[in-house]
Amino acid sequence: MKNVLSIAGIDPSGGAGLIADLKVFIAHEVYAMGVATSTTAQNTKGIFAMELISPKIISDGIKAIFDDIEVNAIKIGVVPSVEIIKEVAKTLREIKNLPPVVLDPVMACKNGDIWLEGEAKEYIVKELFPLATIITPNKFEAQVILKNEIKTYEDALNSAKKLLDFGSKSVFLKVGDYEGKSLDIFYDGKEILPLNTKRIKTDDTHGSGCSLSSAIASNLANGKDLKNSVICAKNYVFDAIEKSFKIGHGFNPINHFYQFY
């Protein structure tokens, strides 16, 4: 069994963040590990409060894992302060033979804005993008990073290419609704691969971005190449959205364990 580490925040309702990542890892039959960067007061209706974890304990947690356990892939989710971003980046740079890193540059989510401190958005790009095997921004995050709008198919293609200039090895741009379909674009510097699926008419997609990135990490850990890891992850999330169920009164999470029952 392969081992995958998530570095992310906690959504206590389990729909997104670290808890969702662990569910995805289990669904992909990899050993699930996690280091928390923050914890929130959150449910399907929204995010009401957030408290950050000490940068030192985050770093110490990562080091403790690597000192003892072989890590086959890393997923990074919300890193809500400049100090945390710097500490995570510094810690990962010190690791010899760093495994594949899947970075979900979380700046906004279905249940409301993530509360990033100060220049955190800029430091995610500056410090963590160069460490990433693949980044998985959604359209709104890409617009913040690139400071341009994405309205057309050509805008999306050009944005995927521009995002690679910030240092990651590849990009999976989650464009979302485009002409009635769900559009994503994968770009690795050589091949640009548009991925279209039918648009599922539902608001129950909370945690889909977190789950996509952790599914990519799981697939990479299990030996799939990057392109197939992305394709399989997209298919997994599509099925999990299609088979979602109600747990609360707001934006409900996807069904991480749809294949089990």
Side-chain angles (χ1 to χ4, degrees):
M1 180 178 284
K2 302 299 183 180
N3 310 311
V4 185
L5 171 65
S6 171
I7 303 167
I10 295 174
D11 166 8
S13 71
L18 182 60
I19 296 174
D21 292 342
L22 301 182
K23 293 177 183 179
V24 175
F25 297 161
I26 294 166
H28 285 77
E29 299 181 341
V30 296
Y31 185 73
M33 303 178 289
V35 171
T37 59
S38 61
T39 189
T40 63
Q42 184 177 173
N43 56 27
T44 66
K45 295 180 181 180
I47 301 173
F48 307 103
M50 182 165 71
E51 189 165 309
L52 309 190
I53 306 298
S54 151
K56 183 179 185 302
I57 195 65
I58 295 170
S59 177
D60 287 347
I62 297 169
K63 289 175 182 176
I65 295 295
F66 275 89
D67 283 346
D68 183 44
I69 301 168
E70 180 184 7
V71 179
N72 302 107
I74 302 169
K75 177 267 173 79
I76 303 176
V78 65
V79 274
S81 75
V82 172
E83 291 74 18
I84 290 174
I85 293 164
K86 287 181 175 179
E87 194 64 31
V88 169
K90 178 177 179 290
T91 303
L92 294 181
R93 283 194 295 265
E94 292 172 352
I95 294 169
K96 294 181 180 178
N97 301 316
L98 187 69
V101 175
V102 181
L103 171 63
D104 185 11
V106 181
M107 299 174 187
C109 72
K110 188 75 174 179
N111 284 8
D113 288 340
I114 296 293
W115 302 330
L116 299 180
E117 289 189 347
E119 299 176 313
K121 292 178 182 179
E122 290 79 8
Y123 272 82
I124 290 171
V125 176
K126 178 182 176 181
E127 295 281 344
L128 294 176
F129 275 36
L131 295 171
T133 305
I134 184 167
I135 57 172
T136 64
N138 62 36
K139 179 176 75 172
F140 306 105
E141 290 155 350
Q143 289 177 154
V144 169
I145 294 163
L146 296 172
K147 297 179 174 59
N148 62 242
E149 291 189 330
I150 300 174
K151 293 183 176 180
T152 67
Y153 181 70
E154 288 301 318
D155 289 341
L157 293 177
N158 290 332
S159 295
K161 292 176 180 178
K162 288 178 183 177
L163 284 165
L164 209 62
D165 294 339
F166 293 100
S168 67
K169 295 181 177 67
S170 61
V171 175
F172 186 85
L173 175 58
K174 299 171 289 190
V175 181
D177 188 8
Y178 182 75
E179 295 184 346
K181 292 190 175 182
S182 180
L183 173 65
D184 301 298
I185 295 173
F186 170 69
Y187 180 58
D188 63 0
K190 297 179 181 178
E191 179 183 12
I192 190 149
L193 178 66
L195 297 167
N196 281 292
T197 57
K198 73 175 183 179
R199 187 75 178 169
I200 302 171
K201 293 182 179 180
T202 179
D203 287 325
D204 295 336
T205 59
H206 179 51
S208 57
C210 303
S211 300
L212 177 97
S213 55
S214 50
I216 294 172
S218 300
N219 291 330
L220 289 171
N222 279 328
K224 288 183 171 65
D225 63 29
L226 190 54
K227 180 178 175 180
N228 282 313
S229 292
V230 163
I231 293 170
C232 291
K234 181 176 172 68
N235 291 337
Y236 166 78
V237 170
F238 177 87
D239 289 340
I241 292 172
E242 192 171 48
K243 297 169 184 175
S244 63
F245 57 92
K246 300 290 184 183
I247 65 161
H249 297 87
F251 297 114
N252 284 271
I254 68 175
N255 183 358
H256 298 99
F257 296 137
Y258 68 87
Q259 71 269 52
F260 298 144
Y261 52 85

